[in-house]
Amino acid sequence: MSEERGGLMTTESFALKMFEAIGGLSGDLKEVSATMRGIDEKLNHMNTKIEDVKTLAKEASSSADTANSKVNEAMGLIRDNKEDIERLFVKFREKDAERKADKKEASDKLFKWVGIVVPASISITSIIITIIFRLSN
């Protein structure tokens, strides 16, 4: 009986159908294989990008650590310099107060001496003028 009538298949027709099915599967396998290669290439590309991002992240982290270290060092220097500057200002204020006190003391001494010397010189001048007038008369 022939296959068209719903009967049994012959060996040849069965073999032919099997080859057709295998040929179809072969085409499907090639398509699946091509798709898998494409997916593999995309995954490899993504893995490369992920590695690049990891490298950049490590470099950024290292740079951040270096920057943080430099900032901490600078902050330490600022603290140290601030203390030094404050000490210098305290010394400057002390010296300034001492200079003002010395100037006041010198001014007071000068005023005292002027208070003594001027009247004394006026008195001596008066005596000399009196002597000159008496001698001239």
Side-chain angles (χ1 to χ4, degrees):
M1 288 200 222
S2 77
E3 165 186 350
E4 291 143 6
R5 290 193 224 150
L8 294 174
M9 292 177 101
T10 64
T11 305
E12 290 174 7
S13 64
F14 178 74
L16 186 60
K17 277 212 171 227
M18 288 298 289
F19 281 126
E20 286 174 4
I22 290 174
L25 285 177
S26 175
D28 290 343
L29 287 175
K30 286 180 185 177
E31 189 177 322
V32 168
S33 178
T35 303
M36 292 300 287
R37 274 194 303 275
I39 291 171
D40 189 46
E41 287 174 8
K42 287 181 182 180
L43 288 175
N44 285 337
H45 182 69
M46 291 303 292
N47 283 336
T48 302
K49 284 188 174 186
I50 289 170
E51 290 301 319
D52 290 345
V53 168
K54 283 181 181 179
T55 301
L56 289 173
K58 285 179 185 177
E59 290 171 0
S61 176
S62 176
S63 295
D65 289 342
T66 302
N68 195 23
S69 171
K70 287 182 181 181
V71 165
N72 287 337
E73 182 180 330
M75 292 301 289
L77 288 172
I78 288 170
R79 276 191 299 276
D80 293 345
N81 288 337
K82 183 179 177 186
E83 291 172 5
D84 291 343
I85 290 170
E86 286 175 1
R87 276 189 247 126
L88 288 173
F89 272 125
V90 167
K91 286 181 181 180
F92 174 76
R93 288 184 195 112
E94 289 171 356
K95 292 289 184 185
D96 191 44
E98 287 176 16
R99 273 183 287 210
K100 285 181 182 177
D102 290 345
K103 282 182 183 178
K104 182 163 177 20
E105 185 180 336
S107 174
D108 289 347
K109 283 182 182 179
L110 180 65
F111 186 72
K112 192 185 278 185
W113 277 104
V114 168
I116 293 172
V117 170
V118 170
S121 62
I122 291 174
S123 297
I124 292 174
T125 306
S126 298
I127 293 172
I128 292 174
I129 291 176
T130 305
I131 292 175
I132 291 174
F133 277 132
R134 287 198 182 186
L135 289 177
S136 65
N137 284 341

